[in-house]
Amino acid sequence: MEDAVISLHMSPARRRRLGVAAAAAGLLATLLTAGPAAATPDPGDTATARTDVSAAQKAEATAAIRSGEIPGVDEIVHSSNITHLANVPKDALKGLNTDLAFQGKYAFAGNYDGFRIYDISSPKSPKTVAQVLCPGSQNDVSVSGDLLFLSTDSSRSDNSCTSTTQPATEKSSWEGMKIFDIRDKRNPKYVAAVETACGSHTHTLVPERKNVYVYVSSYSPSDTFPDCRPPHDGISVIKVPRQAPERAAVVNFPVLFPDGGNPGAPTNPGVSKTTGCHDITVLPSKDLAAGACMGDGLLFSIKDPENPRIIDRVQDNVNFAFWHSATFNQKADKVVFTDELGGGGAATCNEEIGPKRGADGIYDIVGRGDHRKLVFRSYFKIDRPQADTEVCVAHNGSIIPVKGRDLMVQAWYQGGVSVWDFTDSSKPKEIGYFERGPVSTDAVTTAGPWSAYYYNGYIYSNDIAKGFDVLKLDDRRTDSAKRVRLDELNVQTQPDYFDR
């Protein structure tokens, strides 16, 4: 299907929200030559089951498509400053697509069934280099030098890539970090595994010359889980020697919430109880990190990477349900936190939910040193209407490196990809977008971009259902970013774009 282009200056009907209710919410890597065995995702970022909608909701979605309020099923629309260059559908890995990392001419794409490596030397025609079968939700991926890191947050029978699902109530079950040697991109080799308390939902690298430190975020302990019992009030810190990754080991478990963190309901109705962190972003050039930790947002120092130290902590018990991820601006005087309302399984981009829930929260960093504070300024949420069958929520994004401006590209599941400006912390605004219409008008279905990141002049998006997308952004406000070139990008390890 050819792209259908809709101007950024849309008609009132296109901007008007749908007035419907939200939906409820050993070590051996196998290079694929045939279809993989299905992985079984555990509860996490994304719902896997389709949820039926009422006849009225289905009828309203169908009417919205006919009237042009929303795109048709699978129809592609975008603003005039974005061009859709390529889509690479899923192939051997049939699971849900997840996070992205970049190195040189390669993109690394996580999938609940493993990971895929693309050659992106020609962004218009990405080529698959390898597909590695290694089931284990979510399989978030990062790279540093010759090493690739893969998160496993589903209880497995062992630490191999041929493991099967096994209850977390069994002591022998395994969850944690897997490490691959990627010197040969066509033949990654699984070289190490480190078990971590409550698994590894996401992870963040703090690279050094001889070692790579890995901050492992995980949550939801239970008294019935032998390796994941409460209190789970911190993160695992893994030290990985670059020349001997097989010696990787947990070296610390710093307590980030000595008071136990946000208690959640019933004290704070609708807010997640803090039992760990969901995601951490570090800015090594500034020795800073920002943590999105369920019911809490954190600012902390990583001057000593083995012993991170809290500087400030904030909560939003009115509009934030689940602190999901964080992004610094280049000057490190702002942080954007995302709220994953509905756990990535609900339609939250509609009139019922409104513009302040399931949104981004923009915080200024005020003060100096250990006296710095996170000060709330505003919310940002896409105002393009989505049907009640479209799971839509603020998700993973990155800054677009433009001096003097704070610009970001971000994934919103079936809300698509949004490019937005938060230079004025109090008045954020969208300046570009790309999205597909509903996957279905019959049921709430998890799909759309999980991650959308800017890398070396292009936007790359890993769509949960539709595959790997490449977008080109042409806009006088962002064009200078095309001159910024990186050798490597893990978005949760933010580079200093202008002092390298």
Side-chain angles (χ1 to χ4, degrees), residues 109-445:
N111 179 285
Y112 270 61
D113 286 340
F115 65 93
R116 188 171 179 177
I117 304 176
Y118 297 96
D119 181 335
I120 55 172
S121 53
S122 174
K124 291 182 178 180
S125 55
K127 307 296 183 186
T128 299
V129 174
Q131 298 185 73
V132 177
L133 174 62
C134 198
S137 143
Q138 320 181 119
N139 280 338
D140 274 16
V141 62
S142 296
V143 293
S144 183
D146 295 332
L147 300 177
L148 179 145
F149 301 84
L150 200 67
S151 282
T152 300
D153 192 36
S154 63
S155 185
R156 312 296 298 177
S157 57
D158 56 50
N159 63 6
S160 75
C161 283
T162 56
S163 67
T164 56
T165 58
Q166 182 170 290
T169 52
E170 294 189 23
K171 175 63 178 171
S172 63
S173 295
W174 185 91
E175 301 179 62
M177 287 298 309
K178 295 169 181 166
I179 305 170
F180 292 76
D181 185 316
I182 54 168
R183 279 175 288 187
D184 181 355
K185 301 295 189 295
R186 297 186 178 278
N187 186 29
K189 297 185 184 302
Y190 185 2
V191 296
V194 180
E195 187 170 15
T196 55
C198 300
S200 175
H201 193 68
T202 65
H203 68 269
T204 304
L205 304 186
V206 185
E208 295 189 334
R209 188 171 63 87
K210 292 184 178 180
N211 305 298
V212 180
Y213 288 96
V214 187
Y215 291 169
V216 176
S217 296
S218 55
Y219 54 93
S220 295
S222 169
D223 288 325
T224 66
F225 298 163
D227 297 320
C228 179
R229 288 192 169 121
H232 185 69
D233 48 13
I235 58 173
S236 297
V237 179
I238 299 173
K239 183 178 181 179
V240 185
R242 290 188 185 275
Q243 299 305 314
E246 68 278 2
R247 292 180 8 221
V250 175
V251 293
N252 197 9
F253 188 87
V255 173
L256 303 180
F257 307 99
D259 66 351
N262 197 317
T267 304
N268 297 316
V271 177
S272 294
K273 173 182 171 65
T274 298
T275 60
C277 288
H278 179 277
D279 211 341
I280 292 169
T281 293
V282 297
L283 192 56
S285 64
K286 307 291 187 183
D287 290 330
L288 278 179
C293 302
M294 305 182 72
D296 294 89
L298 301 181
L299 181 69
F300 53 100
S301 167
I302 58 167
K303 192 169 186 179
D304 177 357
E306 286 192 26
N307 297 282
R309 181 173 48 81
I310 301 300
I311 296 172
D312 194 27
R313 171 179 155 198
V314 290
Q315 296 178 355
D316 179 347
N317 295 318
V318 176
N319 290 311
F320 257 50
F322 188 95
W323 295 68
H324 174 274
S325 53
T327 303
F328 287 100
N329 68 337
Q330 181 59 45
K331 289 183 178 180
D333 59 6
K334 298 176 188 177
V335 182
V336 174
F337 289 103
T338 66
D339 175 23
E340 193 185 45
L341 176 67
T348 70
C349 299
N350 54 32
E351 192 173 47
E352 175 86 1
I353 299 299
K356 295 182 179 180
R357 298 173 61 217
D360 296 321
I362 303 165
Y363 287 74
D364 284 353
I365 302 174
V366 178
R368 295 177 178 270
D370 288 348
H371 300 290
R372 284 172 285 191
K373 297 292 183 183
L374 291 165
V375 179
F376 173 77
R377 295 303 186 202
S378 68
Y379 298 103
F380 170 77
K381 188 174 182 180
I382 59 172
D383 63 354
R384 288 170 282 108
Q386 309 295 316
D388 265 9
T389 58
E390 295 183 275
V391 170
C392 175
V393 74
H395 221 245
N396 295 353
S398 74
I399 64 169
I400 300 173
V402 174
K403 284 187 176 181
R405 300 186 74 92
D406 296 323
L407 301 162
M408 186 170 175
V409 58
Q410 185 178 1
W412 287 79
Y413 276 30
Q414 288 193 70
V417 173
S418 177
V419 178
W420 59 287
D421 186 329
F422 62 104
T423 306
D424 182 341
S425 301
S426 299
K427 296 180 180 179
K429 59 183 179 181
E430 184 173 78
I431 64 171
Y433 70 92
F434 168 89
E435 70 167 289
R436 290 180 170 89
V439 171
S440 167
T441 57
D442 298 325
V444 179
T445 307

